[in-house]
Amino acid sequence: MKRILAALTGLLALAGAMKAQDLKSGPYELPYKNTYVKDVFVAENEFRTKDPVKTVPGSFDKAKKILPAPFWTGHDKEIEMYWHAWQLAIAHICQPQDGSGFVSSYLDVAYNGNIFMWDTCFMMMFARYGYRFFPFQNSLDNFYAKQHPDGFICREIRADGSDCFERYDPTSTGPNLLPWVELAYYRQYGDLDRLHAIFPALAGYARWWRLNRTWPNGTYWSSGWGTGMDNMPRVPEGYNPIWSNGHMEWLDTNLQQLLVDDCLLQIGFFTERWQEIEELEDEMKFLRKHVGECMWSDEDGFLHDRYADGSLCPTKGISAFWALQTDVLEKDKLDRLVAHLDDDREFNRTHRVPSLSADHSKYNENGRYWQGGVWPGANYMVIDGLWRSGYRREAREVAHNHYSCVFDVWKDTKTFWEYYAPEFRKEGFMARKDFVGWTGLPPIAVFIEYIIGIKSDYSQERIEWDVTNLEAHGIERYPFGPEGVVSLKAAARKNANEQPVITVTTDVPFNLTLIWGDGNEKTVRVEKSGTIK
């Protein structure tokens, strides 16, 4: 009842403010009649009225004493690349401009001075490891602060706080990865207060998508810019690939909405508010059936965009692998989809995974953006999805290849790039440099999770270590929970099937699952520091 009263009070206040803004200047001043249909969840969004908090980061030297510190005997250059990525990230921390409406200091995307939803979401997947040094996750708060009364959030916002696109523009928003990223942060730190704070903004934004980005049959549409994959050849002939919806069902947008719904329901469970969004279960059931039956081609064993006439777009793109983040496909179909990643005629190229299948006529050996370019964010999605879906071999192979290629280019050029060429170990065509930015993913997140091999879920009191290296290696100051700090060290081994000897230093208990060799696995309860044999 308190929440309902608070929401109604917020709506009344919002209505009054909007009426006043019809007559005077303000953040939603419009040269035409106000068409906002106000959303009850948005009325609860506390970020819209929050005072800005400016956090000045410490020096990089200070950061090196706080951030997680991986080590790996005989691999000093890999460790150097890890720290260089953090150094660039810290250099790209920005402060909110006065009067912008931004509420938090933030990690810049290293592109054009604007903040991008797509980029920022992916950046948080590595930046979450640095929260003890700087509150990187609060970068997302600026999007919540700029939420419109009907739930809309623009995908690109200028540093002065102004939207780059009108909300009904087909390119105005997306992809919606916010719940996915926030849930990953929660699993790392168990910050329930943050889930309570962000739930209304996320629920309101998801509802806006359902009301404004669906066809009559309930499927979702987007655009090249809206999906983040600007020039991928996928719309029918005669439509602009960047800003037209092509009158088609966009595969990745539908898969992402399945992911959004699932993550929102999990957040709703943790916050005890899932009953307020239980209709998402019905949408998930519909999307799961529709995508699995109508967007799947049994002929080539792949998922595709669907045109207005019911035919499938022939393009095979990395967008299909968002299915790995959902339960949309049955095991036999998922096996067929994953098999394309091993096919050297399609996605198993020199640098994996290209955004476009190599057998497409538009595929470019140097990338040419989303016509074959290898993008760290999209690759991280594939690697993470493979692991979560049980394809451990494939996850390891793609992760090690992607990391190795980025590492070689870093050694040659002394920096990180916006994206990479698929056929050569070099940067992509006209890619921007010093891009940390989402290219912090391979040297930080992929390194910690798949090269060192450590993943965790504080909500389940679990740390998982896939021990593949034979040299002594591990990590110090690994963040686990709101205050927990864990150090893990694996001693050198003679072969992969030798059970690793682990030394643990911890101030918080957890379950440690060790994976090694040919399918060996062991779980032990760790209550205090010591050695595990």
Side-chain angles (χ1 to χ4, degrees):
M1 181 60 72
K2 289 182 179 179
R3 289 197 184 108
I4 294 173
L5 290 174
L8 289 173
T9 301
L11 280 173
L12 289 172
L14 190 59
M18 290 297 299
K19 184 176 181 181
Q21 286 162 6
D22 282 343
L23 303 175
K24 65 179 184 180
S25 62
Y28 300 105
E29 181 183 12
L30 304 173
Y32 43 80
K33 187 171 179 63
N34 183 340
T35 59
Y36 284 109
V37 177
K38 291 171 280 293
D39 183 86
V40 67
F41 282 119
V42 178
E44 288 187 66
N45 179 358
E46 61 187 44
F47 296 98
R48 300 178 75 247
T49 56
K50 187 177 180 181
D51 292 330
V53 176
K54 296 184 179 182
T55 305
V56 179
S59 66
F60 176 61
D61 287 339
K62 181 179 180 181
K64 290 189 72 173
K65 299 176 182 178
I66 299 173
L67 292 168
F71 57 91
W72 188 10
T73 300
H75 294 267
D76 293 346
K77 276 294 182 181
E78 286 87 343
I79 302 301
E80 182 183 341
M81 182 172 76
Y82 170 86
W83 288 116
H84 186 203
W86 276 121
Q87 185 176 23
L88 283 174
I90 292 166
H92 290 157
I93 292 173
C94 294
Q95 303 300 329
Q97 288 187 18
D98 293 339
S100 65
F102 288 170
V103 296
S104 177
S105 304
Y106 57 95
L107 182 57
D108 181 53
V109 304
Y111 187 74
N112 63 0
N114 299 343
I115 64 172
F116 288 77
M117 184 185 297
W118 166 246
D119 298 57
T120 305
C121 282
F122 278 128
M123 290 191 301
M124 294 306 103
M125 298 303 265
F126 78 82
R128 73 181 190 272
Y129 290 109
Y131 194 80
R132 298 277 166 77
F133 168 72
F134 182 83
F136 289 105
Q137 194 75 8
N138 294 355
S139 300
L140 297 175
D141 296 356
N142 294 322
F143 291 99
Y144 306 144
K146 304 302 293 185
Q147 186 169 38
H148 289 228
D150 61 353
F152 169 78
I153 303 175
C154 194
R155 68 172 182 84
E156 181 183 358
I157 305 174
R158 300 180 185 91
D160 65 7
S162 59
D163 289 348
C164 289
F165 303 94
E166 194 277 330
R167 69 192 195 278
Y168 293 131
D169 186 321
T171 67
S172 66
T173 196
N176 182 9
L177 307 181
L178 294 165
W180 179 54
V181 174
E182 292 285 10
L183 202 55
Y185 175 78
Y186 176 74
R187 291 191 184 108
Q188 192 79 40
Y189 293 98
D191 188 349
L192 187 58
D193 288 341
R194 180 167 180 85
L195 289 191
H196 280 291
I198 64 176
F199 176 80
L202 297 178
Y205 183 45
R207 179 180 288 172
W208 188 91
W209 271 87
R210 291 195 299 280
L211 292 174
N212 297 279
R213 286 292 188 268
T214 52
W215 297 118
N217 68 351
T219 59
Y220 284 79
W221 60 266
S222 187
S223 63
W225 272 349
T227 63
M229 299 189 291
D230 310 16
N231 65 336
M232 181 174 284
R234 53 198 300 195
V235 298
E237 186 176 354
Y239 292 92
N240 186 284
I242 294 177
W243 53 74
S244 172
N245 64 26
H247 288 119
M248 69 181 197
E249 299 167 3
W250 291 67
L251 173 62
D252 42 344
T253 309
N254 285 278
L255 292 171
Q256 287 159 3
Q257 195 60 32
L258 259 174
L259 179 60
V260 164
D261 290 351
D262 180 55
C263 292
L264 266 179
L265 284 167
Q266 290 185 58
I267 293 172
F269 173 78
F270 289 127
T271 58
E272 299 182 355
R273 299 189 65 175
W274 69 269
Q275 289 176 313
E276 299 174 51
I277 54 171
E278 60 184 357
E279 72 277 2
L280 297 185
E281 293 180 326
D282 295 329
E283 180 177 66
M284 290 179 68
K285 182 178 180 180
F286 161 72
L287 289 176
R288 194 180 294 118
K289 178 178 174 61
H290 183 87
V291 173
E293 294 180 358
C294 300
M295 305 182 82
W296 169 263
S297 168
D298 220 30
E299 182 178 348
D300 64 6
F302 208 79
L303 286 166
H304 298 269
D305 300 308
R306 187 169 185 255
Y307 293 147
D309 64 2
S311 64
L312 297 181
C313 168
T315 298
K316 295 190 294 288
I318 200 168
S319 54
F321 297 107
W322 280 102
L324 293 164
Q325 298 286 344
T326 74
D327 61 352
V328 69
L329 293 180
E330 297 174 354
K331 183 65 165 56
D332 59 334
K333 289 183 177 179
L334 195 58
D335 286 345
R336 294 185 66 191
L337 178 69
V338 169
H340 289 269
L341 292 170
D342 283 334
D343 191 333
D344 58 14
R345 298 165 299 177
E346 298 180 329
F347 294 100
N348 188 358
R349 310 304 293 180
T350 297
H351 190 169
R352 302 166 74 173
V353 174
S355 50
L356 182 66
S357 177
D359 59 3
H360 194 285
S361 61
K362 291 280 189 179
Y363 179 83
N364 187 286
E365 62 182 9
N366 291 306
R368 199 164 61 193
Y369 241 55
W370 291 91
Q371 294 179 0
V374 180
W375 295 83
N379 263 253
Y380 182 80
M381 172 273 292
V382 172
I383 296 165
D384 179 74
L386 284 168
W387 189 267
R388 292 183 184 278
S389 297
Y391 297 92
R392 290 181 173 180
R393 175 190 66 80
E394 293 85 352
R396 292 188 190 102
E397 288 182 2
V398 174
H400 281 257
N401 171 272
H402 180 51
Y403 177 85
S404 172
C405 290
V406 171
F407 179 58
D408 285 349
V409 177
W410 174 81
K411 287 189 295 183
D412 290 342
T413 65
K414 308 304 180 187
T415 194
F416 305 96
W417 298 86
E418 179 185 11
Y419 77 101
Y420 294 83
E423 299 297 332
F424 312 98
R425 291 183 176 238
K426 70 174 188 178
E427 67 275 13
F429 175 68
M430 296 185 69
R432 287 169 168 79
K433 65 179 182 178
D434 297 336
F435 208 85
V436 182
W438 58 26
T439 310
L441 280 164
I444 298 175
V446 174
F447 185 56
I448 291 174
E449 296 167 15
Y450 296 94
I451 308 303
I452 299 298
I454 296 172
K455 309 170 190 67
S456 66
D457 187 340
Y458 178 76
S459 68
Q460 297 185 20
E461 295 188 340
R462 185 183 74 244
I463 294 178
E464 178 183 87
W465 194 352
D466 182 30
V467 185
T468 58
N469 301 311
L470 298 182
E471 306 90 347
H473 66 289
I475 194 166
E476 297 177 342
R477 299 192 299 269
Y478 183 85
F480 187 64
E483 303 295 337
V485 178
V486 178
S487 292
L488 297 158
K489 178 179 180 179
R493 297 179 296 158
K494 295 179 180 179
N495 60 72
N497 280 312
E498 180 182 346
Q499 181 173 327
V501 176
I502 308 296
T503 301
V504 180
T505 303
T506 182
D507 55 11
V508 60
F510 61 93
N511 297 311
L512 175 62
T513 297
L514 296 176
I515 303 167
W516 75 95
D518 299 326
N520 301 303
E521 187 169 317
K522 175 183 179 180
T523 299
V524 296
R525 178 68 177 174
V526 178
E527 297 286 350
K528 59 182 180 180
S529 301
T531 300
I532 300 169
K533 298 181 180 180

